[in-house]
Amino acid sequence: MTRARHVIEAFSAERLRTLRRERRLSQEQLARSVAETASDSAVTRERLKIVAYEGGTRRPAAKALHALAAALGVKAAELLDPEAPMTVELLRALRNLTQGQVAAHLGITQARYSQLESGQAQLDHQRREQLAELLRVPLPALDKLLAARGQEQP
């Protein structure tokens, strides 16, 4: 079974490039900081990802976004396009949570939570309160984000 990797659509290639250059890091140096091991093949894979991220041909998943942010000494939000709309998915990614982790917290399946993010499912009031607390947003703000996905909340 393959695990879905949700990329961060709000990622900004320009912000990554700017922050890396401000720190006077080469793509290779950043790759060494991000790579999970020091092996040449792991560093090469990370460098190729960074080239693609900066070139705008690829966007990182949440885990990679947080690894890049940590290597650059910034918060993950600083690697996002400030004009990008906020979504429930983006809030979850910024908290470095997987859909499975959120679903477990809410006591629902990962599939149901995925449907929530895509606007195909709703949550009852109690679970919306739990989600708002987990994502650290006021309930009215969460409800507004959910409504923007085409959902009507009870």
Side-chain angles (χ1 to χ4, degrees):
M1 180 166 123
T2 61
R3 199 174 91 172
R5 299 191 188 275
H6 297 279
V7 297
I8 307 301
E9 295 295 331
F11 172 75
S12 169
E14 177 73 25
R15 292 288 302 141
L16 173 61
R17 189 173 32 259
T18 298
L19 289 166
R20 179 182 58 77
R21 288 177 177 167
E22 284 175 357
R23 283 149 182 77
R24 297 187 176 152
L25 293 172
S26 67
Q27 290 173 332
E28 176 85 13
Q29 290 168 317
L30 181 57
R32 286 195 183 284
S33 295
V34 172
E36 293 182 7
T37 68
S39 73
D40 288 341
S41 62
V43 172
T44 298
R45 279 191 306 274
E46 290 303 326
R47 187 183 59 74
L48 291 173
K49 289 178 191 176
I50 290 166
V51 167
Y53 296 153
E54 288 188 3
T57 59
R58 184 174 180 177
R59 293 188 172 123
K63 182 179 177 182
L65 180 78
H66 284 274
L68 288 166
L72 293 166
V74 300
K75 292 182 179 183
E78 292 184 53
L79 291 171
L80 305 179
D81 177 352
E83 301 297 317
M86 185 55 64
T87 64
V88 175
E89 179 182 9
L90 185 53
L91 279 173
R92 176 183 53 77
L94 289 174
R95 301 291 178 251
N96 205 14
L97 297 168
T98 65
Q99 286 186 341
Q101 289 169 322
V102 175
H105 180 81
L106 299 176
I108 61 175
T109 65
Q110 186 274 330
R112 173 114 189 273
Y113 182 77
S114 179
Q115 291 173 338
L116 172 80
E117 283 190 358
S118 67
Q120 301 170 358
Q122 296 181 30
L123 291 177
D124 59 47
H125 182 74
Q126 180 182 356
R127 286 195 172 111
R128 289 195 333 273
E129 285 181 334
Q130 291 174 327
L131 181 58
E133 183 177 323
L134 182 65
L135 298 178
R136 297 184 219 146
V137 296
L139 182 58
L142 177 65
D143 283 344
K144 185 175 179 181
L145 291 175
L146 293 173
R149 287 289 209 174
Q151 297 185 46
E152 294 298 323
Q153 294 302 322

